[in-house]
Amino acid sequence: MHLLSPLRKALLAGVCAAATFVSASASAATLKVGYSDWPGWVAWQVAIDKGWLKEAGVDADFQWFDYSASLDAFSAHKLDAVMATNGDALVTGANGHKGEMILVTDYSDGNDMVVAQPGITDMQGLKGKSVAVEEGLVDHLLLLKGLEKAGMSEKDVKLVNTKTNETPQVLASGEVAAVAAWQPNAGQALHMVPGARPVFTSHEVPGLIYDTIVVDPQSLHDNRNQWQRLVGVWDRVVTYIQDPKTQPDALRIMATRTGVSSNTYKRFLKGTHLLTLSDDKTVFTKKDGLDSLYGSSAISDAFNVRYGVYKTPQNVGSYIDPSFVNAVK
């Protein structure tokens, strides 16, 4: 997942230009949090249903959105926080509403992939062929990484700019040799074209796509204790999902939230590497490379500027606040 398209960027810029008011929700006692159907964010449903947030003294209203709509709501100052990738946190900030990443829930560990036609077994097999991808989105970045690892570049393939939700149909049409998409679109492509296979996935570039909680700075200032307590609940969520004894119940809760079966959801969960707070302390260490939120976000920033998602490089460090994770003992 899941960056903003140029059109959405333009619309968002307009929204933010109009939103010269101070966030109406920033000082609200109830934390308004937007979340959507990525497994690392649906995981919060476990805490909600089990009553762990209330138990921790967190007064939070989790609001369910389509992903892009959640970013729009945050950009319009209708939310205190939104679940977003690190790349999208930069996009949202560059277009007017800057937030701070205070927790990384997970990284994509296979759910984003390049799916090729039958008979193509690796990225080298795409040389000289057409590949459908929504340009400027994170799976465009994934495709570039896959080409780079195969000793090629973007010049070695012909990009066909395609909406991500249309990639399954485009692959099935036979017009392209491969598509780059995230779940569930990637799974639909595999289902619609028997014999198709992933030739590169986010499993091969762990940390390229981090999934985070992005919080309005004013809300962080006004409600710091609540945000700290919310972060403190996260390990309980991860443990409940990963423990074989409780995982069936966790899958039931998450599957119910998203309207799929538990078995289907279990496959999605396998492509999502959940991070504990201990893991987060490592990820929040400032250094280059994909094993750091700083390093990964710097790569996303360079990609965003190169492909015109926004024009000016962002101060990546100003989007990251490790203090909440580090305060948990």
Side-chain angles (χ1 to χ4, degrees):
M1 344 175 110
H2 335 253
L3 293 173
L4 298 174
S5 68
L7 175 59
R8 181 172 295 284
K9 179 194 70 175
L11 293 172
L12 182 59
V15 169
C16 293
T20 54
F21 53 85
V22 176
S23 170
S25 60
S27 60
T30 300
L31 307 180
K32 297 179 180 177
V33 182
Y35 71 131
S36 52
D37 63 358
W38 180 256
W41 304 329
V42 178
W44 283 104
Q45 195 65 43
V46 175
I48 296 167
D49 285 14
K50 293 294 180 183
W52 296 340
L53 292 169
K54 289 184 179 178
E55 188 179 313
V58 180
D59 180 9
D61 174 21
F62 275 65
Q63 300 180 11
W64 187 251
F65 288 90
D66 289 335
Y67 179 60
S68 294
S70 73
L71 297 177
D72 288 347
F74 181 74
S75 297
H77 296 259
K78 294 180 179 177
L79 295 170
D80 293 292
V82 66
M83 307 289 178
T85 68
N86 54 328
D88 283 348
L90 300 178
V91 175
T92 305
N95 286 289
H97 189 187
K98 185 176 178 180
E100 296 181 14
M101 294 179 273
I102 66 168
L103 175 74
V104 177
T105 55
D106 64 276
Y107 61 75
S108 179
D109 192 18
N111 277 344
D112 295 72
M113 61 184 74
V114 179
V115 180
Q117 295 281 7
I120 299 174
T121 58
D122 56 27
M123 291 295 289
Q124 282 283 354
L126 298 179
K127 194 165 187 175
K129 295 183 169 64
S130 297
V131 180
V133 66
E134 192 162 0
E135 295 181 12
L137 302 198
V138 74
D139 277 357
H140 185 182
L141 175 59
L142 178 79
L143 173 64
L144 297 183
K145 285 294 178 184
L147 291 169
E148 178 184 327
K149 282 182 171 288
M152 299 190 293
S153 73
E154 194 171 14
K155 296 179 180 177
D156 290 309
V157 297
K158 179 183 177 183
L159 294 186
V160 179
N161 193 17
T162 305
K163 294 291 185 185
T164 299
N165 62 0
E166 297 173 0
T167 51
Q169 293 77 17
V170 172
L171 187 71
S173 74
E175 295 176 357
V176 298
V179 299
W182 59 82
Q183 295 283 22
N185 298 292
Q188 291 170 359
L190 289 167
H191 177 73
M192 292 176 68
V193 183
R197 69 170 65 184
V199 291
F200 188 74
T201 79
S202 53
H203 177 71
E204 297 172 71
V205 279
L208 181 68
I209 308 168
Y210 282 113
D211 300 292
T212 76
I213 300 177
V214 183
V215 186
D216 181 288
Q218 188 64 51
S219 182
L220 283 180
H221 176 271
D222 293 344
N223 307 290
R224 186 172 183 87
N225 288 338
Q226 284 218 78
W227 287 116
Q228 186 66 67
R229 289 195 291 269
L230 182 142
V231 168
V233 170
W234 181 241
D235 266 356
R236 193 174 184 182
V237 173
V238 176
T239 298
Y240 198 77
I241 292 172
Q242 294 181 335
D243 187 333
K245 295 179 182 177
T246 53
Q247 188 179 75
D249 188 46
L251 287 172
R252 177 191 61 78
I253 291 170
M254 292 188 286
T256 299
R257 172 66 273 187
T258 53
V260 300
S261 69
S262 291
N263 285 337
T264 296
Y265 210 84
K266 192 171 185 178
R267 292 201 301 272
F268 293 162
L269 194 60
K270 285 181 178 178
T272 308
H273 188 105
L274 296 174
L275 298 173
T276 65
L277 290 171
S278 177
D279 297 330
D280 261 31
K281 290 178 181 178
T282 300
V283 167
F284 271 92
T285 300
K286 193 172 185 178
K287 59 181 180 179
D288 297 332
L290 294 179
D291 59 347
S292 164
L293 182 59
Y294 292 87
S296 174
S297 299
I299 291 171
S300 291
D301 184 52
F303 170 82
N304 290 339
V305 173
R306 177 181 175 186
Y307 287 93
V309 179
Y310 49 74
K311 294 182 179 179
T312 306
Q314 300 296 293
N315 180 353
V316 169
S318 68
Y319 284 81
I320 300 171
D321 186 346
S323 65
F324 292 86
V325 167
N326 290 335
V328 177
K329 303 300 182 185

